[in-house]
Amino acid sequence: MMSRKETKALTPLPNLTDLPPLGMDVHSLVEDFRRYYTYTLGRDRHCRSAHYAYSALVLGVRDRLMERWKATRYAYEAADARQAYYLSLEFLMGRTLGNALLNLGLSGDAPLALQCLGLELEEIAEAEHDAGLGNGGLGRLAACFLDSCATLKLPVTGYGIRYEYGMFRQTIVDGHQVEEPDHWLREGNPWEIERPEYIQRIRFGGRTEFYRDRDGVLRGRWVDSRDVLAVPFDIPIPGYDNGTVNTLRLWKSEATEEFDLGEFNAGLYPESVAAKNAAENITMVLYPNDASESGKELRLRQQYFLASASLQDVLARWIGTNGEDFSRFAEKNVFQLNDTHPSCCVPELMRLLMDEHRFGWDQAWKITTATLAYTNHTLLPEALEKWPVRLFRTLLPRLLEIIYEINARYLAEVARRWPGDTERQRRMSLIEEGPEPMVRMAYLAIVGSFSVNGVAALHSRLLTEGLFRDFYELWPEKFNNKTNGVTPRRWLAGCNPALAGLISEKIGEGWVADLFQLARLAPLADDPEFRERWAEVKRQNKEHLARMVKDECRIDFHPDALFDVQVKRIHEYKRQLLNILHVIHLYDRIKRGESDGWVDRCVLIGGKAAPGYLMAKSIIKLINNVAQVINEDPEVGGKLKVVFFPDYRVTAMEVIAPGTDLSEQISTAGKEASGTGNMKFMMNGAVTIGTLDGANIEIREEVGDENFFLFGLSAEQVQERRRSYDPETIIAADDDLRRVMQLLECGHFNQFEPGIFDAIIAAIRNPGDMWMTAADFRSYLEAQREAAAAYKDRERWTRMSILNTAASGKFSTDRTMIDYNRDIWRLEQISPFPVK
Ligand code: CJW
């Protein structure tokens, strides 16, 4: 282990870092590549590993980022800029190289430089591991936000955890999901810079001691704690074509020096190593849960570790320039909490201000509630975080005391507003009483924040009407909506160069940083020649996707067929099951000879199930079994192909979205907070089949109902129907659904595995089925028929495709960030100093 002793301080010469700017031309790139490859990495022409070519290229690109990184930081410092910090347990970054080249303006010259060396960029880029430091939409959203903030020149820093193991790798064995560890750092990560000079110390356990300070004021202090170190690793976040480079700072846990010395010397070698391991375990692995909480102690340790390290880092920087004068701290800093995962920030900021910086409660509370803002990402009860009071008491005793005090003061405010309403006080308490009292983290986040937002219009409305209604009545001014987006750099310009090229040829390149300009494509939907070229690009992208499907799944997708795609985490509320019921229905139609006017279809489903989520895992198995029966049936042939695409991840989506015709967004209405895959597909010219859920509603508003295949109950109708839901009657009255259920129940898809789908079948037939699969089946079928009919009319389909891209301007995270900045952060855009 690296030693964390202080190194001797140097007095650097003023011109130590004063260097001429690096060349941005092919020749300079070639020269730097050779130097890194030969000297720094020590390879020669006998080396056949793409990894070293990749590393040499990255080191050259990183140098160019480094110049701009410093120029950006100096400009922020010179402007004494107000800054925002995006705190998230997840940043699902995917690969960095392609995006860095695009944003630096090197996507033309880098491939040329490599060509000079007899290398191919596409091949070399494949050597990069995805940084899979997130589960799904919430983690990818954080990554898109960073890209947009840099592009908008907003001083925003991401704070997260440097997991040693990211999202597990998924393989499929006999149709079952098998998880493998993702040791993404094994070959090193050339994008990160370790910064031991900014290490922070994080406490766990111990107890609080009260004492009188020199002014005679009673204060708390956390003693007898077991501490770990938080070591920061910085990753550069370049803006698009603007010289800005922001920072993503990821924390790694390490044992403190005391562990090593004290216990080694006491002859407790194994104990010392074990303690060291425990410290380093904190950032070992990402919890693979999406929209369901784990309740594990290690997860709470991760959350507090991130919150404390990040807050201390910002406070230390503040003190470095302002000393102990915090009078303008709230004016200059704002923290955005990505869901409740970093909500330990509320009591931790109070603790730091009171115990370490000698603030009284009221002043500390004023600063805390003026600097924290909270984003909610889900209404699902199983995702709402609650931690046992007991766990807080042993792990974070000082925080628990502060939470109790926050609760007492805030419940007094509730009592003043609603005198005598003890039921409401019980309901709104930060502590849920019961045999195992729990801390309600969402309530803690609301009470400690000046802003609370949902992630799509419907979701934000449902929050104020349901889950957070009491709080909305108390503080209506805190609540607001911020509809999600995705970054058009990665999700259109980067992943779909052919379409991007065609678009730029017609409307110029301005759309990349101003996506509303895509609206200028709309009139071109009437131009037959343009439609022809659009269709040709889509076909090329479908061929590319078909090659990937062939490589991964050994199944032939014919590019003439309708490519029907659902990729996202596997969850009952997302209803991959409804999709597969439709697939079974199509198969049934082929088998009973009802294939007049048939439209060939290739169905792709992909996504990971949380390892402990058995129902989700059964759904994966069902999809695989159905796929096998269908793909092997010669009577079906090219009419229908079905695959479960393994290990769905950011890099796979970069091929999937451009090659998709029909985007499946079929969650039970009211359950999907926003969705962001829906936006990636739309941008790439896919047409959506979807329910009135999350951002689908806004997508349909933008594109017009004639360019969207709507089906299913609305959120209100779902609520209403729940009371009298009777799937048996629905199945009995619907011949198509009855036949689908019959095929499932007679074991047609599990001939040698009796009973394995019984739980799925029972769920569909259960009047308590939360996801109401049977209720939406008929309406889904009809929408699918319409989609097939529209696809048959190729002109009509291409028009719809163009209009979807043209209407996707709202779903850029540039717009989302402008909204956050206008209503919550209020930062100034700061231009970086020029790299001379
Ligand atoms: O956030 C996306 C939305 C999407 C929503 C997702 C979300 O489902 O509709 O587009 C971006 O706003 N993810 C989570 N909640 N909502 C989420 C993710 C990971 C989690 C978690 C909730 C991990 C844990 C708990 C809850 C855990 O304990 O490991």
Side-chain angles (χ1 to χ4, degrees):
M1 221 266 307
M2 191 182 301
S3 156
R4 295 299 181 193
K5 292 225 180 66
E6 291 283 310
T7 46
K8 200 173 151 214
L10 296 173
T11 315
L13 299 172
N15 62 355
L16 180 73
T17 54
D18 206 2
L19 290 162
L22 296 167
M24 299 297 280
D25 53 303
V26 173
H27 178 74
S28 314
L29 292 173
V30 169
E31 286 311 301
D32 283 8
F33 182 100
R34 282 167 110 70
R35 192 161 39 78
Y36 282 117
Y37 194 77
T38 311
Y39 300 121
T40 307
L41 300 170
R43 308 290 135 168
D44 62 18
R45 66 199 151 77
H46 299 300
C47 175
R48 314 210 56 83
S49 154
H51 169 71
Y52 294 101
Y54 160 75
S55 301
L57 177 61
V58 171
L59 290 170
V61 173
R62 195 184 74 177
D63 289 346
R64 283 146 181 90
L65 290 169
M66 193 64 69
E67 300 178 289
R68 290 161 181 76
W69 208 352
K70 290 186 176 138
T72 304
R73 189 157 45 84
Y74 297 155
Y76 292 165
E77 282 167 10
D80 189 20
R82 173 171 161 87
Q83 305 207 22
Y85 310 94
Y86 197 78
L87 270 61
S88 178
L89 270 282
E90 305 188 13
F91 285 92
L92 191 38
M93 303 298 283
R95 286 181 180 153
T96 293
L97 178 58
N99 183 247
L101 293 176
L102 175 70
N103 286 10
L104 282 173
L106 292 174
S107 7
D109 283 353
L112 292 178
L114 290 170
Q115 237 171 51
C116 296
L117 297 157
L119 298 166
E120 226 191 307
L121 177 61
E122 262 182 50
E123 217 175 305
I124 286 174
E126 290 293 313
E128 181 170 3
H129 296 269
D130 269 41
L133 308 185
N135 276 285
L138 170 143
R140 182 56 228 175
L141 185 75
C144 286
F145 279 10
L146 294 182
D147 182 82
S148 282
C149 289
T151 295
L152 291 164
K153 304 183 189 174
L154 292 173
V156 176
T157 300
Y159 275 113
I161 288 182
R162 181 181 177 275
Y163 300 106
E164 202 78 32
Y165 292 85
M167 189 60 205
F168 65 78
R169 221 161 344 106
Q170 178 194 56
T171 59
I172 301 297
V173 177
D174 295 335
H176 294 280
Q177 166 173 297
V178 173
E179 301 97 26
E180 286 170 7
D182 162 44
H183 197 189
W184 72 292
L185 291 168
R186 193 177 38 238
E187 299 178 285
N189 175 12
W191 298 108
E192 68 184 14
I193 304 264
E194 185 176 0
R195 298 227 183 265
E197 64 272 36
Y198 302 122
I199 284 179
Q200 300 298 334
R201 173 179 283 261
I202 314 298
R203 299 160 188 270
F204 289 100
R207 64 194 170 82
T208 309
E209 187 176 83
F210 290 94
Y211 69 104
R212 297 225 171 252
D213 68 11
R214 358 187 180 87
D215 306 324
V217 180
L218 190 65
R219 299 205 168 274
R221 85 179 143 213
W222 192 344
V223 297
D224 295 342
S225 54
R226 300 285 268 168
D227 301 354
V228 303
L229 299 181
V231 184
F233 288 71
D234 288 355
I235 295 175
I237 306 292
Y240 175 73
D241 193 25
N242 66 0
T244 291
V245 177
N246 281 342
T247 302
L248 169 59
R249 177 160 284 187
L250 300 179
W251 299 101
K252 173 184 197 280
S253 62
E254 281 189 9
T256 56
E257 300 272 316
E258 292 93 275
F259 267 127
D260 308 355
L261 297 176
E263 295 190 349
F264 280 169
N265 294 343
L268 296 168
Y269 174 74
E271 289 78 359
S272 169
V273 173
K276 196 176 161 70
N277 270 334
E280 299 187 348
N281 266 342
I282 293 177
T283 57
M284 194 58 70
V285 56
L286 167 78
Y287 274 92
N289 302 310
D290 187 81
S292 116
E293 55 133 13
S294 59
K296 291 284 195 298
E297 175 182 331
L298 183 60
R299 167 81 178 171
L300 181 58
R301 281 185 191 269
Q302 291 182 338
Q303 296 188 352
Y304 175 66
F305 176 81
L306 170 66
S308 182
S310 311
L311 289 172
Q312 290 191 64
D313 195 44
V314 173
L315 291 180
R317 212 163 33 245
W318 178 265
I319 289 163
T321 43
N322 302 276
E324 288 282 333
D325 177 7
F326 282 82
S327 55
R328 303 187 68 190
F329 183 79
E331 219 175 281
K332 294 290 186 182
N333 298 282
V334 55
F335 300 90
Q336 190 72 40
L337 310 182
N338 198 18
D339 214 286
T340 52
H341 314 158
S343 56
C344 282
C345 275
V346 176
E348 176 65 1
L349 184 52
M350 288 298 287
R351 183 187 75 80
L352 290 168
L353 292 172
M354 295 190 304
D355 295 1
E356 317 230 322
H357 301 289
R358 304 164 50 86
F359 275 85
W361 182 278
D362 291 335
Q363 280 170 298
W365 187 244
K366 221 171 147 180
I367 292 179
T368 299
T369 52
T371 50
L372 299 183
Y374 156 56
T375 304
N376 172 283
H377 292 266
T378 179
L379 294 151
L380 295 184
E382 63 268 35
L384 293 176
E385 294 196 298
K386 292 176 192 170
W387 291 105
V389 166
R390 189 177 36 80
L391 185 56
F392 256 97
R393 189 172 291 120
T394 54
L395 204 61
L396 306 166
R398 181 66 183 130
L399 260 56
L400 183 62
E401 290 167 1
I402 293 171
I403 291 170
Y404 278 150
E405 183 65 24
I406 294 171
N407 199 33
R409 290 173 186 245
Y410 133 81
L411 285 180
E413 189 179 339
V414 173
R416 278 195 298 278
R417 170 74 193 268
W418 292 284
D421 194 346
T422 49
E423 162 58 21
R424 190 187 287 257
Q425 288 175 45
R426 189 194 55 73
R427 241 179 17 226
M428 293 179 76
S429 173
L430 301 185
I431 309 296
E432 179 184 282
E433 296 300 343
E436 171 82 87
M438 303 284 239
V439 183
R440 295 162 162 158
M441 301 306 276
Y443 294 3
L444 177 62
I446 297 173
V447 172
S449 298
F450 68 90
S451 165
V452 178
N453 74 279
V455 290
L458 172 70
H459 169 63
S460 297
R461 177 166 67 78
L462 293 176
L463 282 180
T464 58
E465 289 174 359
L467 198 57
F468 297 158
R469 186 186 181 137
D470 289 327
F471 294 88
Y472 181 61
E473 287 176 11
L474 184 58
W475 297 308
E477 68 285 356
K478 284 194 188 189
F479 289 80
N480 62 94
N481 172 247
K482 295 287 167 282
T483 298
N484 283 169
V486 303
T487 171
R489 268 71 64 187
R490 184 174 297 261
W491 297 114
L492 183 50
C495 72
N496 200 342
L499 199 66
L502 175 59
I503 294 169
S504 295
E505 187 188 311
K506 294 292 174 184
I507 66 170
E509 286 182 355
W511 61 272
V512 180
D514 176 15
L515 205 65
F516 284 111
Q517 289 188 25
L518 289 180
R520 291 161 53 198
L521 293 172
L524 294 168
D526 296 324
D527 172 350
E529 196 201 328
F530 182 75
R531 276 202 306 265
E532 196 50 49
R533 293 191 56 197
W534 188 274
E536 177 49 35
V537 168
K538 183 55 95 174
R539 194 189 165 85
Q540 280 172 27
N541 290 332
K542 288 171 76 173
E543 282 168 4
H544 186 188
L545 174 54
R547 281 197 298 279
M548 192 170 82
V549 168
K550 179 77 180 181
D551 288 347
E552 291 290 330
C553 315
R554 317 306 318 164
I555 298 294
D556 288 306
F557 270 20
H558 197 288
D560 283 342
L562 172 65
F563 280 20
D564 170 349
V565 176
Q566 185 176 22
V567 284
K568 48 184 80 240
R569 288 298 289 258
I570 310 294
H571 204 295
E572 287 163 280
Y573 85 79
K574 295 178 188 279
R575 294 201 296 194
Q576 283 91 357
L577 186 53
L578 180 59
N579 187 341
I580 207 70
L581 294 184
H582 171 247
V583 168
I584 295 170
H585 163 73
L586 291 178
Y587 167 72
D588 180 41
R589 270 179 56 197
I590 295 168
K591 296 304 276 184
R592 61 188 197 211
E594 277 182 29
S595 49
D596 282 355
W598 189 266
V599 172
D600 293 350
R601 206 186 267 254
C602 296
V603 179
L604 184 152
I605 303 175
K608 291 172 185 174
Y613 189 173
L614 298 186
M615 190 59 123
K617 289 182 140 179
S618 296
I619 292 169
I620 291 178
K621 173 66 174 158
L622 175 61
I623 296 166
N624 278 300
N625 281 24
V626 169
Q628 188 171 10
V629 168
I630 291 176
N631 296 336
E632 285 177 2
D633 188 331
E635 208 182 327
V636 175
K639 290 193 175 67
L640 181 60
K641 293 283 175 206
V642 187
V643 300
F644 184 87
F645 185 89
D647 201 34
Y648 172 62
R649 61 201 185 282
V650 170
T651 295
M653 186 56 158
E654 291 171 15
V655 178
I656 294 170
T660 295
D661 294 310
L662 187 63
S663 156
E664 299 270 351
Q665 307 301 336
I666 61 178
S667 51
T668 311
K671 301 297 174 194
E672 187 73 271
S674 162
T676 45
N678 46 4
M679 302 169 185
K680 295 164 198 167
F681 283 118
M682 181 199 200
M683 253 176 223
N684 285 279
V687 185
T688 305
I689 181 165
T691 48
L692 287 175
D693 200 12
N696 295 352
I697 296 173
E698 291 158 77
I699 286 177
R700 181 163 169 269
E701 248 167 47
E702 294 296 305
V703 76
D705 47 8
E706 69 285 9
N707 298 308
F708 184 108
F709 299 104
L710 178 69
F711 75 95
L713 301 174
S714 67
E716 280 72 22
Q717 289 167 332
V718 166
Q719 287 281 338
E720 175 62 30
R721 277 292 284 285
R722 192 145 281 157
R723 291 184 238 150
S724 59
Y725 183 48
D726 180 9
E728 292 297 351
T729 309
I730 297 173
I731 294 165
D734 185 326
D735 263 359
D736 291 321
L737 182 53
R738 204 170 37 76
R739 293 177 60 104
V740 168
M741 292 305 288
Q742 233 162 38
L743 279 170
L744 272 174
E745 284 164 343
C746 76
H748 189 74
F749 303 106
N750 53 325
Q751 300 225 6
F752 304 103
E753 301 165 300
I756 60 168
F757 298 131
D758 288 359
I760 293 181
I761 293 162
I764 301 170
R765 292 189 174 278
N766 181 358
D769 174 19
M770 289 292 289
W771 322 113
M772 305 243 208
T773 305
D776 279 347
F777 179 81
R778 175 51 41 191
S779 155
Y780 181 50
L781 229 67
E782 278 162 16
Q784 286 284 16
R785 280 186 199 201
E786 273 181 58
Y791 188 74
K792 234 180 150 60
D793 178 352
R794 301 312 282 266
E795 236 168 62
R796 176 174 168 213
W797 188 270
T798 304
R799 179 190 303 273
M800 291 175 87
S801 170
I802 296 166
L803 292 176
N804 265 273
T805 302
S808 66
K810 174 174 176 184
F811 305 104
S812 166
T813 34
D814 298 350
R815 187 273 312 151
T816 310
M817 293 297 86
I818 288 169
D819 291 353
Y820 273 82
N821 193 45
R822 185 194 54 231
D823 301 340
I824 307 172
W825 301 340
R826 307 192 149 279
L827 310 170
E828 273 174 56
Q829 297 180 304
I830 310 275
S831 290
F833 290 140
V835 173
K836 292 174 291 272

